[in-house]
Amino acid sequence: MSTRREFLITTSSAALGAAVPMADDQARLPASDAAVTAASEGLPYSSKELFQSGPQRTFTGDRATQIALPLGGIGAGCICLNGYGGLQDFSIWNHPSTTALPAGFASSKAAFAILHIKGAAPVTKLVEGPFPALKIYDQGLQGQGYHRAGFEGFPRFEKCILKGEYPFGEAKLNDTSVPLQVTLTAWNPFIPLDDKNSGIPCAILEYTLHNTSSRTVDYEFSYHLSHLAPGCSGDESASRNTVVPERGVFLHNIEKPNAEGYGSACLVAIGEKPHIKGMWLRSPGWEFDSLSALWREVSTGNFTANDGSNTIDTGGRNGCSILLEGALAPGDSRTHSVVISWHFPNCYLGVGGIAASEFPGTVGCRSFPEGTPPLWRPYYTSIWKDAREVALYVDENYATLHARTVTFKHALFSSTLPSYVLDAVSANLAILKSPTVLRLENGDLWGWEGCFPDAGCCHGSCTHVWNYAQAFAHLYPHLERTLRELELGRSMDENGHVTFRSALPEGPVKHDFHAASDGQLGGIMKVFRDWQICGDLDWMRKMYPLAKRSLDYCIRTWDPDHKGGLFEPHHNTYDIEFWGPDGMCGSIYLGALSALTQMARAVGQTEDAEFYDDLAHRCARFMEEQLFNGEYFQQKVQYLGLQNTTFATLVAQVDEHSSEMRQLLKREGPKYQYGSGCLSDGLIGAWMARFYGIDTPLTQEKIRTSLQTIFKNNFKTDLSQHANAQRPGYAMGHEPGLLLCTWPRGGKPTLPFVYSDEVWTGIEYQVASHLIAEGFVKEGLTIVKALRSRYDGRIRNPWNEYECGNYYARAMASYALLGALSGFRYSAAHKTLWFGPPVSIRPFNTFFCAATGFGAIELDGRSFRVQVLEGELQLERLVLNGGAQPRTLDWKTTIRPDSPAVKLL
């Protein structure tokens, strides 16, 4: 007997798929059970391991070493909660800034709590768990004796256990010498569809003290923050401190108002009146002095308040503190909440535009002449004028912000999904709050691919990387649409060439490099997706001629003879060009043609629709007849008979006197192809089409066979015998993972496409969610469970799936797991909701988010229930994928929070 939080264990993916078939018609069903179950043989996990749900995992000891959970706003920067209950990685100055750098002579930023137990035998502890031993020396990076923030060597709690349910991180701290147990809950508002309140530049810390002893405990709880806006003078002499009466301290500076170093931060107690030290002891020279004096005060119970207006001591390390007193009877608890906010309005980072992007001066201290505005400003500056306003806004609206964020978290984590799936979905929502994402003053998004420790990595909301990301489109669809407008409005020329890396700040870009075939074609599919999500036909009418210009460019450039394949060399996400048609880019081509066909019909362009539909059918036939080898879709390498004759001309000149490399090219053809290889994302276009609701003429049976083959050949339970000369750190040794490509039929080139031997989480999620949606549930879950096992806190950070940099955008593909395991899709354009979990558990619950509201759905054997938690959802029909055929039910209703809707089945 199964419970609502436990999956019904079945013996095969065939049985799971049959519970609620995901087919639109009988032709889409597998030919036999054997075809479905073959890949399941020899899976590394039992059914119980794959399907059983439970609480989120916890981290302690060595498994806390790598943890850094972002706390911040969308496009507003972040500070990270580490695995032992402290803060690190202050990426709040519009660029990444992490502790993963060699130690120097300057101290890093500090934010920490201290608990002082009063009485005859006083105890004072830094409110953090044991410092990870592996960080102390860190292969010589900390050769200065861990000269960092200055508090790391204070006495600490003996034990810390951390659990994350993003956007919340929880650290439980215990110590045998301390009669109070401390639970830290760290978070930042995360409210789907509310981009303002999800973009607050702050971190909120709730410390709950619980008396576990048999006596009343008197205590002092204090929080301390170094000056986060010291300005650009070497001795922090430009920094200023102002007490916020009965709340905390406002930290600011006297730099020019348009200077990069101008800005502010604030430390405030929520709902309480603390004792306030407006300024630390200022001691020019050794920066240790301020914290030495601070520890002496708090550890002896002699905290000294001041108003921060010291105009005599203006040099030396600066900071502020607040202190709260209390007494707890046995068994009682009390929570003290603080907020750290920041506000840095002037940005001088420019990249990718036609105008010069290099500006004189030291990074962080650049400025135009006074009176000239900065290059750009972050979005939050359009709402709050400084960090004090931010902190007081949070203080005033704290209860509502907390309740709404908890509502979202509960809805997500109440979904009927294995814990590691919820872990995968939620953990990568941290990317939205990471320094990967920027947001301009006009509200538009802009993103890196990922982040280096001190700078963004690979600029411009790169279309072929962000192709995989699904979280923004569903949780903040308005923001996602700004990326479409950026691609097709400001990054496309009059010929339809899209520069796949957009400029920062927004503006014209150069068109002097290849277009990215997968990114440009995928962008057309995303116009369709975003229209379906928002339902705004006027928006789609505006985007249609731009999408048509883009697609026409693709056809002229890569399929000039209208054969249905990308024949000419085409750039792609592997940072190379494929020569000749291939399944990966070809499937996106097919999806783009099919998407524009449907959009053309919606706007009354019947002639366009007929042209693109005809070419789509040719594309599908070509893929099935020329690229499908009976097991999967491959590449047909070609360099003769093309308009591009550069390679053919090159190899025609090769003889016995030519270089070794040129002779290799003559024997094998262009470098960096995959040819007969089995590419993991070889059907990414079919994945996008399925999840976006785009009907394509590609035979479903061949898609299913290809997915099986990809899993069978590319998923490895142990990589210790796998040779990888590229970047092995994503998965190596005895770890499991899905390789980007294998060559089960032989024919691997001497120089295959770069990265081919690597493992990328974004592609693992893409393949896993596609497998699950097609009924191969065990196989898909196996990939996800294996992937998350690599991010164990000891080797990698569970809240930072990296690729070419930290917090990598492609990993936001994990959001597709929600749709795969629930069958949920909603079209605001047609007011239709599709649902059908490919698993047999009932009742089945899931979180959902549409453009007008979010909530939870429950399906049991007799009814379908929709609870909207915020906003509303308009419905005209419900499509249930259950049984041999989908079941369409008329259901005209508008669902709001005060009136959940139930449809009897």
Side-chain angles (χ1 to χ4, degrees), residues 549-724:
R549 189 200 309 171
S550 174
L551 182 55
D552 288 347
Y553 171 89
C554 297
I555 295 169
R556 289 195 313 272
T557 304
W558 299 310
D559 185 21
D561 298 324
H562 298 183
K563 295 179 181 179
L566 304 187
F567 288 82
E568 297 292 325
H570 45 287
H571 194 74
N572 57 76
T573 199
Y574 297 111
D575 297 329
I576 47 81
E577 291 72 54
F578 286 150
W579 287 73
D582 70 285
M584 172 195 163
C585 298
S587 68
I588 309 176
Y589 182 33
L590 175 59
L593 290 166
S594 300
L596 208 64
T597 297
Q598 292 175 242
M599 288 189 284
R601 289 175 179 147
V603 298
Q605 298 294 326
T606 55
E607 187 175 334
D608 287 352
E610 291 174 1
F611 170 75
Y612 296 122
D613 185 50
D614 177 71
L615 189 50
H617 280 81
R618 266 180 275 170
C619 182
R621 284 195 300 272
F622 178 82
M623 288 183 65
E624 293 179 1
E625 294 172 4
Q626 299 296 319
L627 302 182
F628 186 71
N629 62 19
E631 294 182 289
Y632 56 90
F633 292 88
Q634 61 179 58
Q635 179 196 13
K636 188 175 182 181
V637 179
Q638 179 179 343
Y639 60 87
L640 296 175
L642 303 180
Q643 291 184 358
N644 188 318
T645 61
T646 55
F647 188 83
T649 301
L650 183 150
V651 296
Q653 299 169 356
V654 174
D655 58 24
E656 66 274 14
H657 303 294
S658 298
S659 69
E660 182 180 3
M661 174 59 74
R662 292 205 169 188
Q663 292 189 45
L664 175 64
L665 296 179
K666 187 174 181 66
R667 289 196 307 272
E668 296 191 9
K671 286 193 295 184
Y672 309 141
Q673 309 304 296
Y674 72 95
S676 61
C678 179
L679 187 67
S680 283
D681 60 345
L683 277 176
I684 178 179
W687 172 71
M688 296 165 76
R690 181 177 188 94
F691 283 86
Y692 300 172
I694 300 170
D695 296 323
T696 76
L698 199 62
T699 302
Q700 198 69 16
E701 182 181 353
K702 290 182 171 62
I703 294 173
R704 294 167 63 85
T705 299
S706 295
L707 287 169
Q708 288 180 273
T709 307
I710 289 167
F711 179 82
K712 175 183 176 182
N713 291 293
N714 295 11
F715 178 74
K716 307 296 181 183
T717 59
D718 187 316
L719 291 165
S720 59
Q721 300 305 307
H722 171 65
N724 182 357

Side-chain angles (χ1 to χ4, degrees), residues 115 117 157-158 172-183 208-219 327-334:
L115 179 65
I117 305 299
F157 276 67
E158 292 175 340
K172 290 186 176 295
L173 298 132
N174 294 279
D175 192 298
T176 54
S177 67
V178 180
L180 302 183
Q181 179 190 73
V182 181
T183 300
T208 299
L209 313 181
H210 175 67
N211 187 352
T212 59
S213 74
S214 58
R215 64 177 178 85
T216 296
V217 175
D218 295 313
Y219 68 87
L328 286 174
D332 281 358
S333 300
R334 185 175 180 182

Side-chain angles (χ1 to χ4, degrees), residues 38-55:
S40 297
E41 298 174 3
L43 293 179
Y45 307 113
S46 67
S47 293
K48 183 176 181 180
E49 290 175 303
L50 286 176
F51 298 122
Q52 191 170 21
S53 60

